[in-house]
């Protein structure tokens, strides 16, 4: 096992330090994402006493805008030229403003009327989600396809990235409530917590910038005279939508991130209102995060022996099984822990494959249609991650509103309890089942050797 990457060839295997540097970017980003997905709605409903339906609608509206800005950012990445490459430069440009804006999510003006509070939430959430998260995340996920085109290495990058993101979630789930309570259990406490994680997150994102190097130069980016050229955006989009593997992947990834986002958001409510023990959140969240980390650690073994697609299939079977266990034993704590373990191992195996599968679908687009759209293709994946979590937050707000959930009271109505259960396991079960059905139709692993050989020949002619 080598520490350093010793080659600049596009098909090189990476050193451990560069893999870790790439993963550190998702560790920093994961701190922000985990705070937002797991606690932001809870903070607004239970500390700011804002209406969950209105907040959910705001989240949903921003996420729709997010899909548009992701595509714009993907186009920007495809056209970016700098001494730091196409993607890395954007990590440097966005990490500081991204961390500052995340803190602003918690600085809702206390003395203002509710209308002003909702407007403030909408503006800051738009800034964080649709602009700054996009400007960081799209280049970051694009970077995985630009560091190397070695399929096994891409799979490993996905494992390292998902491991660091999950580890960030474990940190947030394990420390946030304790930090907030230690700081006074009020709005100022949430702000102090956010500032600490914002500084740490920005530092890890900078490590990702300084510790990686782009090596892959897509064949369409250089013409026969050695000059850069660009593909019309309509051609880029057309290349993606005609790629059946990419379309299936986008649907599957949307489903996976919707499940993760919905269960992360619903868990604190489930513990507080169904189990009547807010402290149980730390136990379940820790179980989920540790189990997912363990799955990520062994995922590369499954991928090497069985391939990325079969590993994803195994993961989705386990994810469905874990949710079923929780449905049948909704209040038995030790069985809930076991169900969370099974579901999280499955989600970890599936999530570890995502980056590698996506990079392969984009190679397929370049091979079949003669168009390389790494930025646009990765942008759509970033959009799915954010739309999945955003729609889950909006859906969760709507479900709570329909169930007449009231964050200002201790004991919830039966309709609210049913709503919480629906969000915690009924809806995730249905979505996981759909994703499993789709992955059964996927057979791109069998075609990779032919695709890679042809692309190497094309890229060699334009090098």
């Amino acid at each position: 096992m080598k520490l350093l990457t010793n080659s600049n060839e596009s098909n090189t295997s990476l050193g451990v330090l560069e893999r870790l540097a790439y993963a550190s970017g998702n560790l920093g980003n994961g701190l922000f994402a985990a705070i937002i997905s797991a606690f932001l709605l809870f903070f607004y409903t239970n500390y700011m006493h804002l209406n969950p339906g209105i907040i959910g609608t705001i989240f949903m509206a921003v996420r729709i805008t997010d899909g548009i800005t992701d595509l714009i950012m993907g186009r920007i990445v495809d056209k970016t030229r700098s001494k730091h490459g196409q993607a890395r430069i954007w990590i440097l440009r966005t990490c500081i403003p991204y961390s500052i804006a995340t803190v602003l999510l918690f600085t809702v003006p206390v003395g203002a009327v509710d209308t002003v509070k909702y407007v403030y939430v909408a503006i800051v959430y738009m800034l964080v989600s649709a602009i700054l998260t996009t400007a960081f995340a799209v280049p970051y996920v694009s970077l995985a396809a630009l560091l190397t085109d070695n399929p096994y290495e891409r799979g490993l990058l996905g494992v390292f990235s998902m491991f660091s993101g999950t580890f960030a979630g474990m940190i947030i789930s394990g420390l946030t409530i304790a930090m907030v309570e230690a700081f006074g259990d009020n709005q100022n406490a949430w702000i102090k917590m956010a500032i600490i994680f914002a500084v740490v997150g920005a530092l890890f994102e900078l490590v990702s910038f300084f510790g990686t190097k782009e090596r892959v130069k897509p064949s369409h980016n250089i013409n026969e005279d050695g000059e850069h050229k660009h593909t019309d955006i309509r051609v880029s989009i057309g290349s993606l939508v005609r790629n059946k593997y990419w379309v299936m992947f986008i649907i599957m990834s949307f489903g996976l991130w919707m499940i993760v986002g919905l269960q992360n958001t619903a868990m604190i409510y489930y513990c507080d209102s169904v189990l009547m023990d807010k402290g149980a959140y730390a136990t379940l969240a820790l179980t989920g995060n540790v189990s997912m980390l363990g799955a990520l650690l062994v995922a590369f073994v499954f991928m090497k022996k069985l391939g990325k697609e079969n590993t994803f299939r195994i993961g989705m079977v386990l994810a469905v099984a874990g949710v079923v266990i929780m449905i049948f034993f909704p209040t038995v704590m030790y069985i809930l822990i076991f169900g969370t373990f099974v579901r999280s191992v499955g989600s970890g195996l599936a999530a570890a494959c995502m980056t590698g599968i996506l990079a392969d679908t984009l190679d397929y687009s370049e091979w079949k249609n003669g168009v390389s759209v790494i930025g646009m293709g990765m942008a759509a994946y970033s959009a799915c991650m954010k739309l999945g979590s955003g729609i889950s937050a909006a859906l969760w707000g709507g479900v709570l509103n329909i169930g007449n959930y009231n964050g200002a009271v201790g004991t919830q109505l039966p309709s609210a309890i049913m709503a919480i259960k629906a969000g915690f396991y009924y809806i995730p079960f249905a979505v996981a089942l759909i994703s499993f059905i789709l992955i059964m139709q996927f057979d791109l692993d069998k075609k990779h050797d032919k695709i890679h050989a042809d692309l190497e020949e094309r890229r060699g002619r334009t090098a």
Side-chain angles (χ1 to χ4, degrees):
M1 181 182 294
K2 60 184 182 180
L3 287 178
L4 302 176
T5 306
N6 300 319
S7 172
N8 288 325
E9 295 296 323
S10 63
N11 195 39
T12 189
S13 59
L14 303 178
V16 173
L17 291 181
E18 187 164 6
R19 294 172 189 159
L20 290 173
Y22 176 73
S24 70
N26 205 36
L27 178 57
N29 181 53
L31 293 175
F32 304 147
I35 292 172
I36 292 171
S37 65
F39 293 108
L40 189 61
L41 182 61
F42 185 71
F43 168 75
Y44 288 150
T45 57
N46 287 45
Y47 286 78
M48 295 292 99
H49 302 303
L50 299 176
N51 182 281
I54 297 175
I55 295 296
T57 300
I58 291 172
F59 285 3
M60 181 62 197
V62 171
R63 292 301 187 175
I64 292 174
T65 305
D66 228 348
I68 299 172
T69 58
D70 273 352
L71 294 178
I72 293 172
M73 192 65 210
R75 183 64 174 168
I76 290 172
V77 170
D78 280 334
K79 297 178 70 174
T80 295
R81 301 291 178 268
S82 79
K83 65 179 181 180
H84 299 302
Q86 290 181 251
R88 289 174 61 244
I89 185 62
W90 289 103
I91 294 175
L92 179 65
R93 290 170 177 171
T94 58
C95 61
I96 302 301
Y98 182 19
S99 61
I100 293 173
T102 301
V103 175
L104 295 179
L105 288 168
F106 296 93
T107 59
V108 180
V110 179
V113 298
D114 282 352
T115 300
V116 173
K117 293 178 182 178
Y118 290 125
V119 170
Y120 179 90
V121 169
I123 292 173
V124 178
Y125 190 70
M126 174 73 76
L127 174 65
V128 172
S129 179
I131 299 175
L132 293 172
T133 303
T134 295
F136 175 87
V138 171
Y140 176 77
V141 295
S142 300
L143 185 58
L146 295 169
L147 296 180
T148 178
D149 60 10
N150 183 308
Y152 178 63
E153 278 296 328
R154 286 174 169 178
L156 281 182
L157 286 176
V159 171
F160 273 70
S161 178
M162 288 305 306
F163 184 92
S164 62
T166 304
F167 184 68
M170 184 173 67
I171 293 172
I172 294 300
S173 62
L175 296 180
T176 297
I177 295 298
M179 289 174 66
V180 168
E181 291 178 348
F183 289 147
D185 202 21
N186 53 27
Q187 183 186 20
N188 286 334
W190 284 91
I191 294 172
K192 292 175 184 177
M193 174 276 302
I195 290 173
I196 292 172
F197 285 124
V199 173
V200 175
L203 291 175
F204 277 113
E205 289 171 353
L206 286 172
V207 170
S208 189
F209 168 76
F210 286 109
T212 57
K213 181 177 182 179
E214 296 181 20
R215 297 173 183 84
V216 177
K217 296 177 175 59
S219 59
H220 84 294
N221 283 345
I222 304 174
N223 63 23
E224 294 180 355
D225 298 323
E227 298 173 340
H228 291 295
K229 62 179 182 177
H230 303 297
T231 304
D232 184 272
I233 189 170
R234 292 169 296 181
V235 175
S236 298
I237 294 175
S239 174
L240 290 173
V241 298
R242 292 196 306 272
N243 181 348
K244 66 177 182 179
Y245 296 109
W246 182 83
V247 172
M248 282 193 288
F249 172 85
I250 289 300
I251 296 172
M252 290 187 300
S253 64
F254 175 82
L256 179 63
W257 294 117
M258 184 176 176
I259 293 169
V260 172
L262 191 57
Q263 291 206 313
N264 284 346
T265 305
M267 185 178 290
I268 184 65
Y269 290 89
Y270 190 85
C271 294
D272 190 35
S273 299
V274 178
L275 300 180
M276 302 299 291
D277 180 11
K278 191 164 63 173
Y281 172 83
T283 300
L284 290 178
L286 182 64
T287 299
N289 285 319
V290 171
S291 303
M292 197 167 184
L293 284 175
L296 291 169
L297 283 174
V298 301
F300 74 95
V301 177
F302 287 86
M303 286 191 286
K304 194 166 188 176
K305 291 185 176 296
L306 303 175
K308 295 185 290 293
E309 295 162 15
N310 285 329
T311 302
F312 189 98
R313 292 184 181 104
I314 293 171
M316 293 314 298
V317 168
L318 291 174
V320 171
V323 175
V324 170
I325 290 171
M326 289 187 279
I327 290 175
F328 280 101
F329 300 93
T331 58
V332 182
M333 188 61 185
Y334 70 91
I335 298 183
L336 281 176
I337 292 173
F338 178 68
T340 299
F341 165 78
V342 174
R343 189 259 305 171
S344 300
V345 168
S347 297
L349 290 176
C353 304
M354 301 300 279
T355 301
I357 292 176
L358 174 57
D360 290 346
T361 68
L362 297 178
D363 280 349
Y364 179 81
S365 273
E366 184 177 354
W367 174 75
K368 184 175 180 62
N369 302 314
V371 178
S372 178
V373 283
I374 290 175
M376 290 286 286
M378 292 292 187
Y381 175 52
S382 175
C384 280
M385 288 192 291
K386 290 186 289 185
L387 279 171
S389 60
I391 288 178
S392 66
L395 179 62
W396 182 236
V399 169
L400 288 178
N401 202 42
I402 292 172
N404 294 312
Y405 176 84
N406 184 351
V409 301
T411 303
Q412 300 296 327
L413 296 172
S415 60
I417 298 299
M418 179 55 67
I420 292 170
K421 290 180 178 179
F424 190 56
Y425 37 65
Y426 292 134
I427 299 174
F429 170 77
V431 175
L433 195 58
I434 292 171
S435 294
F436 173 74
I437 292 171
L438 284 174
I439 192 61
M440 293 304 296
Q441 314 302 316
F442 216 87
D443 62 351
L444 191 53
D445 267 354
K446 300 176 183 177
K447 303 177 181 180
H448 182 269
D449 289 345
K450 168 67 173 172
I451 292 171
H452 178 72
D454 289 350
L455 288 179
E456 280 290 290
E457 182 180 353
R458 292 183 202 173
R459 290 166 179 167
R461 291 199 300 264
T462 58

